[in-house]
């Protein structure tokens, strides 16, 4: 009894599949678009994470554009110099080597340094918190520690530790996708360096107000500006910043910084360049 | 009884201070006068540190068309001009004044009452603009701008908003009882600015029969209609009030003057009367200090720039259980993060409340009960807007009518899953406008 009932079903669906299969076969032959094999080859070399750091929405579009224009200045910051070499040999041109960059956090306002203003109970999102005063901390320039940037990082290089975003230098590829995700602008991209001295503060408040809100805030005391032999430190609107191109990493600024917790940070990210793996 | 067509909720009224006469608070030790007390561009400070100012002297000049003047609330010395927390949720340029205790008016201000009928329209508008009058209901739209709508629009209905639908707040209620004459005069001045047949109404919720009676005495002879409205939130929202009184619907993207209406707050009418007839700039207002955690709830007349901490002290300090201080009403007001914030022209109330237990419950998932849809006075689907905001899909959310949301909070109030519906919609509005800025840049 059952055998009788499924035969027409199998027969009808089977014949339908056969007819459709023939149509698909016909269409695929008739409307075949030949793809440039170089594009797929280049595409295979690229990291394939579609982070958008190159300015194109996806890796495959970068590959298409690169093959079409053969512009040596098109770079993939994620792949770095290694990838530029590979792409150069594949296309027979000399590619410009991208300067390796990394993400730095211009804030040290973790829960130990920055003082809390009020308990924030709304949506756990930095932009939502920014509507209700400058987040949870007294300093209105500080990282809120709610981590809206994390969703934008394709490389799992960001995490929140003790109320402050922390960048994993090994995993950060410098794609820059996180920078516009921060409402306070505490994330910036800087060139990778063996040793980097960094004023890790974004507060444009006057010194006294900054000091009230955070132990690690830059009070614009001018001491480091006077001490720097290269004149690499400038103060703009109550905040010092180091011009990395002039900085020779002598470390004199860190010695004179009078803040309780130094607002000047020493970061090393060159060893990590070698061990960096492209996912 | 008249009311608006769709949606609405009935939160507990909690009008603790409706029977209390307005007290005048003594001058504080220091005044922090923000330059941004209105919608639009902040005013430009025109005083320097160390300057002596008289009461009513200009300290911030309007910067651009949609902006408003800011005046010194009392005489004294300028102590500082710097960024300071603002009750609106941002930091704003603020002028700090140390009062000298003399409270001397600048010459030519606070003159004896003059007859406004002798003044030309331009003179009336100029006096209103110069006095820095803004909408005192909460949004703070400069009144001078509101009173000069585009030429091609005809205004045939002027409405004064005395609904005061937010729980706790009674500032407008008390003003209606104590100064009905000034309100009616203010409304007459507004009406005189428009040509043709203009009908004037004052909309009052049914829970304030004494206010309606007080106004009726003065309004009846002037041909002003007192409309008693059903007690329902958000009866006092501009679009809902127009719908309730005239039956007209202000659609998405339209402004009240597209429907021939103009809505002003009760307190604004008094400010307009004082500006025109007495040359008095807007430097003080009536504020309701209420909530379960303040020692004595009061209605007080207060100088703009008084810090919340001094107000709390004047009302017998807040209890230790206070965990939220809100400006405005509990439905649309903003929680504050510091008691250093000052009262502005738009602060209608300050609430000291304890909502411990509520804050930890957190958001649950939507159970599709559709209560938010029934509650929404703007005919929107708040759950859908919030879900789209959570997905950060800002193109779709505009199709769902995000711009039409007035952020009244009815949906968040009724949601059994305690979803932060309004906060998500506000969040989407901010990010969508940021994205537009970035795209156009």
């Amino acid at each position: 009894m059952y055998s009788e009932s499924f035969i027409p079903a199998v027969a009808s669906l089977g014949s339908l599949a056969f007819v459709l299969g023939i149509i698909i076969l016909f269409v695929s032959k008739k409307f075949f678009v030949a793809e440039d094999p170089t594009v797929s080859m280049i595409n295979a070399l690229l990291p394939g994470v579609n982070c958008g750091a190159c300015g194109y929405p996806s890796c495959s579009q970068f590959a298409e554009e690169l093959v079409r224009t053969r512009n040596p200045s098109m770079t993939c910051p994620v792949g770095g110099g290694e990838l530029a070499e590979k792409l150069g040999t594949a296309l027979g041109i000399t590619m410009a080597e991208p300067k390796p960059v990394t993400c730095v956090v211009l804030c040290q306002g973790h829960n130990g340094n920055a003082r809390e203003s009020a308990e924030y109970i709304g949506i756990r999102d930095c932009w939502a918190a920014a509507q209700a005063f400058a987040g949870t901390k007294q300093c209105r320039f500080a990282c809120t520690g709610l981590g809206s940037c994390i969703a934008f990082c394709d490389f799992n290089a960001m995490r929140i530790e003790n109320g402050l975003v922390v960048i994993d230098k090994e995993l950060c590829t410098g794609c820059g996708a996180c920078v516009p995700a921060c409402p306070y602008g505490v994330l910036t991209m800087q060139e990778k360096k063996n040793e980097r001295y960094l004023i890790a503060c974004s507060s444009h408040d006057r010194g006294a107000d900054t000091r009230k809100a955070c132990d690690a805030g830059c009070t614009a005391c001018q001491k480091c500006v006077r001490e720097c032999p290269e004149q690499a430190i400038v103060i703009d609107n109550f905040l010092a910043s180091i011009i990395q191109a002039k900085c020779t990493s002598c470390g004199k600024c860190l010695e004179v910084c009078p803040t309780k917790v130094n607002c000047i940070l020493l970061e090393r990210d060159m060893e990590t360049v070698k061990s960096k793996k492209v996912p | 009884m008249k009311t608006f067509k769709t949606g609405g909720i009935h939160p507990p009224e909690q009008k603790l201070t409706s029977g209390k006469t307005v007290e005048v608070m003594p001058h504080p030790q220091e005044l922090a006068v923000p330059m941004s007390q209105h919608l639009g561009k902040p005013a430009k400070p025109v005083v320097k540190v160390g300057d002596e100012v008289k009461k009513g002297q200009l300290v911030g000049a309007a910067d651009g068309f949609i902006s408003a003047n800011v005046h010194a609330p009392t005489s004294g010395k300028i102590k500082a001009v710097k960024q300071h927390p603002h009750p609106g949720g941002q930091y704003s340029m603020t002028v700090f004044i140390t009062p000298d205790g003399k409270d001397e008016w600048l010459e030519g201000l606070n003159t004896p009452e003059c007859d406004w009928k002798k003044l030309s329209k331009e003179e009336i508008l100029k006096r209103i603009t110069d006095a820095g009058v803004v909408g005192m209901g909460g949004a703070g739209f400069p009144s001078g701008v509101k009173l000069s709508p585009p030429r091609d629009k005809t205004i045939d209905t002027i409405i004064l908003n005395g609904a005061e639908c937010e729980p706790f707040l009674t500032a407008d209620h008390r003003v209606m009882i104590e100064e009905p004459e000034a309100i009616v005069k203010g409304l007459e001045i507004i009406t005189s600015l428009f040509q043709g047949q203009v009908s004037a109404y004052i909309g009052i919720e049914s829970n304030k029969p004494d206010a309606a009676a007080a106004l009726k005495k003065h309004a009846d002879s002037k041909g002003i209609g007192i409309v008693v409205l059903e007690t329902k939130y958000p009866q006092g929202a501009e679009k809902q009030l127009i719908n309730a009184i005239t039956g007209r619907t202000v659609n998405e993207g339209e402004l009240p003057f597209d429907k021939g209406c103009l809505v002003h707050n009760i307190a604004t009418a008094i400010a307009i009367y004082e500006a025109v007839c007495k040359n008095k700039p807007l430097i003080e207002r009536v504020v309701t200090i209420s909530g379960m955690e303040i020692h004595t709830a009061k209605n007080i007349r207060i100088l703009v720039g008084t810090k919340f901490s001094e107000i709390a002290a004047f009302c017998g300090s807040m209890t230790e259980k206070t965990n939220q201080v809100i400006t405005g009403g509990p439905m649309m007001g903003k929680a504050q993060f510091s008691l250093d914030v000052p009262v502005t022209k738009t602060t209608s109330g300050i609430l000291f409340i304890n909502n411990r237990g509520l804050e930890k419950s957190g958001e649950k998932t939507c159970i599709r009960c559709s209560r938010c849809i029934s509650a929404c006075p703007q005919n929107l689907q708040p759950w859908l807007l919030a879900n789209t905001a959570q997905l950060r899909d800002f193109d779709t959310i505009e199709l769902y009518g995000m711009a039409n949301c007035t952020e009244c909070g009815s949906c968040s109030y009724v949601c059994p899953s305690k979803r932060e519906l309004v906060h998500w919609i506000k969040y989407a509005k901010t990010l969508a406008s940021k994205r537009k800025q970035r795209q156009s840049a």
Side-chain angles (χ1 to χ4, degrees):
Chain A
M1 190 192 163
Y2 290 115
S3 59
E4 284 160 24
S5 62
F6 75 76
I7 287 167
V10 168
S12 58
L13 284 176
S15 53
L16 193 64
F18 183 72
V19 172
L20 289 176
I22 287 182
I23 293 173
I24 289 169
L25 189 72
F26 171 74
V27 169
S28 67
K29 291 277 186 229
K30 178 84 183 166
F31 298 102
F32 179 73
V33 179
E35 201 195 24
D36 191 346
T38 357
V39 173
S40 45
M41 187 185 72
I42 298 289
N43 201 3
L45 289 174
L46 293 172
V49 284
N50 304 330
C51 65
C54 54
Y56 294 92
S58 68
C59 288
S60 58
Q61 283 185 18
F62 174 81
E64 268 174 40
E65 196 64 19
L66 180 64
V67 173
R68 199 174 60 79
T69 59
R70 298 200 173 236
N71 182 356
S73 60
M74 281 174 70
T75 54
C76 169
V78 176
E82 213 177 308
L83 178 68
E85 251 182 64
K86 277 190 203 164
L87 292 176
T89 41
L91 290 170
I93 49 174
T94 333
M95 297 286 289
E97 195 167 311
K99 283 175 184 163
V101 289
T102 184
C103 182
V104 291
V105 182
L106 296 184
C107 179
Q108 294 185 73
H110 58 69
N111 290 343
N113 287 342
R115 273 167 281 283
E116 274 208 355
S117 55
E119 191 187 356
Y120 172 73
I121 55 172
I123 300 169
R124 309 304 287 172
D125 182 287
C126 301
W127 288 90
Q131 294 172 339
F133 295 97
T136 52
K137 286 161 190 161
Q138 266 183 35
C139 173
R140 65 194 159 112
F141 302 95
C143 168
T144 52
L146 297 173
S148 289
C149 46
I150 293 177
F152 288 81
C153 184
D154 288 329
F155 304 94
N156 291 329
M158 307 178 102
R159 61 181 190 279
I160 297 291
E161 236 171 53
N162 201 10
L164 180 70
V165 64
V166 179
I167 311 284
D168 190 329
K169 287 277 155 64
E170 294 231 0
L171 293 173
C172 178
T173 58
C175 72
C178 53
V179 173
C182 178
Y184 304 107
V186 298
L187 300 170
T188 48
M189 308 310 292
Q190 286 196 358
E191 209 178 307
K192 284 208 173 190
K193 266 187 148 186
N194 196 9
E195 272 189 336
R196 179 193 305 108
Y197 285 87
L198 181 76
I199 313 260
C201 180
S202 307
S203 172
H204 286 291
D205 264 336
R206 281 151 210 256
D209 294 340
T210 310
R211 180 67 62 83
K212 243 184 258 169
C214 182
D215 286 341
C218 170
T219 56
C221 67
Q222 308 262 5
K223 276 198 178 152
C224 52
V225 177
R226 268 180 253 126
E227 201 64 31
C228 182
E230 306 292 327
Q231 278 90 43
I233 305 180
V234 285
I235 289 191
D236 175 38
N237 198 4
F238 304 104
L239 178 65
S241 62
I242 298 179
I243 303 165
Q244 295 294 341
K246 285 190 190 171
C247 175
T248 54
S249 300
C250 65
K252 281 191 177 134
C253 48
L254 188 57
E255 281 165 27
V256 295
C257 185
T259 43
K260 199 158 99 192
V261 180
N262 286 323
C263 65
I264 302 177
L265 263 188
L266 172 61
E267 282 190 350
R268 292 189 175 81
D269 36 46
M270 219 53 195
E271 310 96 318
T272 61
V273 174
K274 284 169 206 151
S275 66
K276 191 185 74 181
K277 286 184 207 90
V278 177
Chain B
M1 217 180 296
K2 284 189 170 178
T3 184
F4 55 94
K5 250 187 286 170
T6 37
I9 52 167
H10 295 276
E13 284 172 30
Q14 306 274 29
K15 306 270 190 189
L16 312 175
T17 48
S18 59
K20 294 187 176 173
T21 31
V22 176
E23 285 178 46
V24 180
M25 186 179 153
H27 290 180
Q29 298 295 314
E30 185 186 62
L31 287 159
V33 186
M35 289 295 109
S36 171
Q37 303 188 35
H38 48 265
L39 213 71
K41 230 173 156 194
K44 251 193 203 147
V46 290
V47 285
K48 291 188 304 293
V49 177
D51 284 3
E52 295 273 350
V53 289
K54 288 271 164 63
K55 186 172 185 172
Q57 190 179 329
L58 193 73
V59 291
D63 186 14
F65 182 57
I66 299 188
S67 184
N69 286 340
V70 179
H71 302 84
T74 186
S75 57
K77 207 172 181 183
I78 305 292
K79 194 183 159 198
V81 181
K82 60 173 187 181
Q83 296 279 334
H84 189 72
H86 182 278
Q90 273 76 37
Y91 281 72
S92 160
M93 196 50 92
T94 304
V95 172
F96 287 80
I97 300 172
T98 315
D100 55 10
K102 289 182 214 154
D103 206 27
E104 275 177 318
W105 279 94
L106 190 73
E107 230 168 280
L109 296 180
N110 201 24
T111 49
E113 192 174 333
C114 71
D115 190 4
W116 59 268
K117 281 172 188 152
K118 284 179 191 154
L119 300 170
S120 68
K121 270 182 204 176
E122 288 72 34
E123 176 66 17
I124 290 177
L125 270 179
K126 189 178 170 291
R127 284 192 183 190
I128 293 172
T129 314
D130 285 352
V133 179
V134 301
M136 286 159 84
F141 194 78
S143 297
V145 182
K146 207 178 194 177
L147 288 170
S148 31
R151 290 253 170 89
D152 54 323
K153 311 279 179 197
T154 36
I155 303 292
D156 58 10
T157 312
I158 312 273
I159 300 171
L160 274 200
N161 183 356
E164 203 160 51
C165 53
E166 283 260 12
F168 288 104
L169 303 190
T170 58
D172 287 353
H173 183 184
R174 286 315 303 176
V175 166
M176 282 190 277
I177 294 172
E178 291 172 28
E179 298 173 64
E181 222 178 324
I183 294 170
V184 171
K185 274 186 187 160
L187 181 52
E188 274 187 286
I189 293 170
I190 298 169
T191 318
S192 75
L193 292 172
F194 299 97
Q195 279 141 353
Q197 189 67 35
V198 183
S199 40
Y201 299 102
I202 303 179
I204 302 169
E205 272 191 351
S206 60
N207 60 357
K208 294 182 262 292
D210 44 353
L215 276 170
K216 219 172 171 67
K217 262 187 235 164
H218 297 270
D220 273 357
S221 58
K222 306 274 164 52
I224 294 166
I226 306 290
V227 187
V228 178
L229 305 158
E230 194 190 321
T231 306
K232 183 161 114 179
Y233 183 85
Q235 195 71 263
E238 198 172 46
K239 289 178 179 176
Q240 275 61 45
L241 194 68
I242 291 172
N243 185 252
I245 292 181
T246 66
R248 300 171 200 172
T249 312
V250 182
N251 296 321
E252 187 178 350
E254 284 182 331
L255 287 166
F257 59 63
D258 290 316
K259 295 285 179 211
C261 294
L262 203 65
V263 182
H264 276 280
N265 184 262
I266 286 287
T268 320
I270 296 185
I272 286 174
Y273 157 71
E274 288 186 335
V276 173
C277 294
K278 292 183 178 171
N279 253 327
K280 195 175 160 190
L282 179 51
I283 50 165
E284 57 178 19
R285 67 160 298 147
V286 177
V287 182
T288 301
I289 315 297
S290 189
M292 303 306 178
E293 305 304 326
I294 191 83
H295 187 264
T296 11
K298 282 176 182 175
N299 296 303
I300 51 177
R301 187 176 296 278
I302 209 166
L303 293 182
V304 164
T306 312
K307 288 180 180 171
F308 283 18
S309 48
E310 297 205 36
I311 296 166
F314 177 68
C315 293
S317 82
M318 52 186 183
T319 64
E320 278 173 15
K321 279 190 283 177
T322 315
N323 71 344
Q324 212 167 44
V325 177
I326 298 173
T327 47
M331 299 298 294
M332 284 187 76
K334 273 205 158 178
Q336 301 300 314
F337 87 129
S338 156
L339 285 180
D340 282 339
V341 294
V343 165
T344 68
K345 292 173 186 173
T346 56
T347 311
S348 47
I350 305 170
L351 308 179
F352 296 84
I353 57 171
N354 170 17
N355 60 2
R356 217 158 288 258
L358 272 179
E359 80 270 39
K360 292 287 176 215
S361 56
E363 279 190 287
K364 311 261 184 334
T365 43
C366 173
I367 57 168
R368 306 290 199 272
C369 68
S370 81
R371 277 192 219 176
C372 53
I373 299 172
S374 334
C376 181
Q378 290 288 85
N379 255 332
L380 298 169
Q381 302 198 33
W383 69 276
L384 193 58
L385 288 167
N387 283 11
T388 323
Q390 273 173 320
L391 296 170
R392 287 148 183 90
D393 186 351
F394 302 124
D395 292 322
T396 320
I397 197 164
E398 265 172 43
L399 300 177
Y400 292 152
M402 173 182 67
N404 217 359
C405 171
T406 56
E407 299 163 16
C408 70
S410 301
C411 49
S412 302
Y413 179 78
V414 294
C415 181
S417 286
K418 304 268 177 279
R419 294 188 71 205
E420 314 256 13
L421 295 162
V422 178
H423 200 174
W424 277 116
I425 296 169
K426 280 187 185 176
Y427 167 80
K429 280 183 177 174
T430 332
L431 264 78
S433 70
K434 275 263 171 324
R435 202 176 62 148
K436 261 186 204 154
Q437 275 173 21
R438 214 178 294 149
Q439 275 167 358
S440 61

